[in-house]
Amino acid sequence: MKNIPAQPVKMIKWFHDFSWSGKLSAAVILAILLLAVFAPGLSIHPHNTSTGAPLQPPGGKHLLGTDELGVDLWAQICYGARVSLLVGLGTAFLAALGGGLVGIIAGYLGGWPDKFIMRLIDIMIVLPDFPLLIVLAAFLGPSLLNIIVVLALFSWVFPARITRSQVLALKEQSYIKSAETYGAGAWYLMWKHFLPEVFPLVAVNMIRLTGRAIVSEAGLSFLGLGDPTSKSWGLIIHHATSFKGIYFTDFWKWWLLYPWLALTMMVTALAFMSRELERIADPRLGGRRFSVH
């Protein structure tokens, strides 16, 4: 019988060790990922064309009803999952990549580069990020790429601090000292030793950053600063709350409630998943450290 690869076995074991909240969060995240990937097949109606009566309640051909233009709400939520995940994952990847490299450089080099980077991080932390996000988003224009770049500019500090603290401890290890004695350069140490060690914690932080970015994008879209063609969950909520008398009618029961539920479930699941993986990745939290080797 063929041997089963070690990496899938490890992943299955991690999932088995999850708490009930971690398993439920994983199921929710997987369901929303499938919703985004198979959106064309799961929604029989287009997400940007009127296919029914305006403000039609759930039922019949429209599972979750329609908006004020008669556009199917279920189709909008399916395609909105794509937008929210694109913004969340794109922001998390850019922030983790940039912040991770900055943190490794600061921790390993020390001296004035470390001091300069830490002062910059301190400034970024105390700045009120969401008002600045609003200003930059309004200045750069409403596009998904601009939103991802702006969110990444305010998110890199978190992985940078994590990687720096890890590198400060790792560079004092005997095997790092031995590698330096035998002529190992800075880039070799960063690629072969530091990056594999800090990757698990950075990956966990990426999950947290994904949820944060999804909420920020929804907030910008709610304020009318998102991409007007994206049909993200935040933009659906923006259109619903902009409708006069929405709270004095029954329209909010489907037009506002369902995208809010989708957004809340996704962000909550990401938060619980991040906490669950952090427990495993960080031994100080009582879990077992996992490795990418």
Side-chain angles (χ1 to χ4, degrees):
M1 184 176 65
K2 295 182 179 180
N3 293 328
I4 300 176
Q7 203 68 16
V9 172
K10 288 182 179 180
M11 295 180 65
I12 294 173
K13 185 171 179 56
W14 297 337
F15 182 77
H16 178 73
D17 292 338
F18 280 178
S19 64
W20 67 268
S21 60
K23 293 178 181 178
L24 180 61
S25 299
V28 171
I29 294 172
L30 178 60
I32 294 178
L33 283 173
L34 294 176
L35 190 71
V37 172
F38 299 104
L42 293 175
S43 55
I44 60 175
H45 300 290
H47 69 287
N48 53 7
T49 304
S50 176
T51 55
L55 299 173
Q56 183 176 337
K61 295 182 179 180
H62 300 280
L63 182 64
L64 301 183
T66 62
D67 62 9
E68 86 281 19
L69 298 177
V71 182
D72 185 72
L73 192 59
W74 168 248
Q76 293 184 58
I77 290 177
C78 290
Y79 282 90
R82 289 184 166 187
V83 178
S84 296
L85 289 174
L86 174 64
V87 172
L89 295 175
T91 300
F93 176 77
L94 288 179
L97 179 63
L101 291 175
V102 169
I104 292 175
I105 292 172
Y108 180 72
L109 295 181
W112 69 263
D114 182 37
K115 293 180 180 178
F116 173 78
I117 292 173
M118 289 308 297
R119 296 295 80 77
L120 180 61
I121 289 176
D122 291 339
I123 293 173
M124 295 293 293
I125 289 176
V126 299
L127 284 176
D129 53 351
F130 196 71
L132 290 176
L133 284 175
I134 295 175
V135 173
L136 287 176
F139 177 76
L140 294 176
S143 74
L144 289 181
L145 178 60
N146 290 340
I147 291 175
I148 291 174
V149 171
V150 169
L151 292 176
L153 287 175
F154 286 90
S155 302
W156 66 270
V157 295
F158 303 105
R161 293 183 67 187
I162 292 175
T163 54
R164 175 186 175 272
S165 62
Q166 289 293 109
V167 170
L168 286 175
L170 288 172
K171 73 177 185 178
E172 300 299 327
Q173 299 293 323
S174 58
Y175 69 93
I176 298 293
K177 297 291 186 181
S178 300
E180 290 176 332
T181 303
Y182 283 100
W187 286 110
Y188 176 85
L189 292 174
M190 290 179 187
W191 181 255
K192 292 293 184 178
H193 295 290
F194 295 147
L195 187 59
E197 289 291 334
V198 303
F199 177 78
L201 291 178
V202 173
V204 171
N205 197 253
M206 281 182 62
I207 298 177
R208 184 181 296 111
L209 289 176
T210 300
R212 183 175 181 269
I214 290 175
V215 172
S216 298
E217 186 277 331
L220 292 174
S221 296
F222 176 76
L223 295 174
L225 297 174
D227 188 344
T229 64
S230 65
K231 283 296 183 181
S232 68
W233 292 336
L235 194 63
I236 300 173
I237 296 174
H238 167 70
H239 288 315
T241 54
S242 299
F243 187 80
K244 292 183 179 180
I246 182 67
Y247 299 109
F248 299 99
T249 65
D250 291 334
F251 305 150
W252 68 270
K253 293 181 180 179
W254 65 89
W255 191 8
L256 181 61
L257 180 61
Y258 293 131
W260 175 83
L261 280 176
L263 180 63
T264 303
M265 289 173 60
M266 183 62 179
V267 174
T268 304
L270 287 170
F272 277 106
M273 180 58 64
S274 174
R275 188 183 67 174
E276 199 74 23
L277 292 177
E278 190 175 43
R279 178 180 61 84
I280 300 174
D282 195 340
R284 294 171 298 179
L285 299 180
R288 300 183 312 279
R289 187 179 183 83
F290 61 81
S291 172
V292 296
H293 297 299

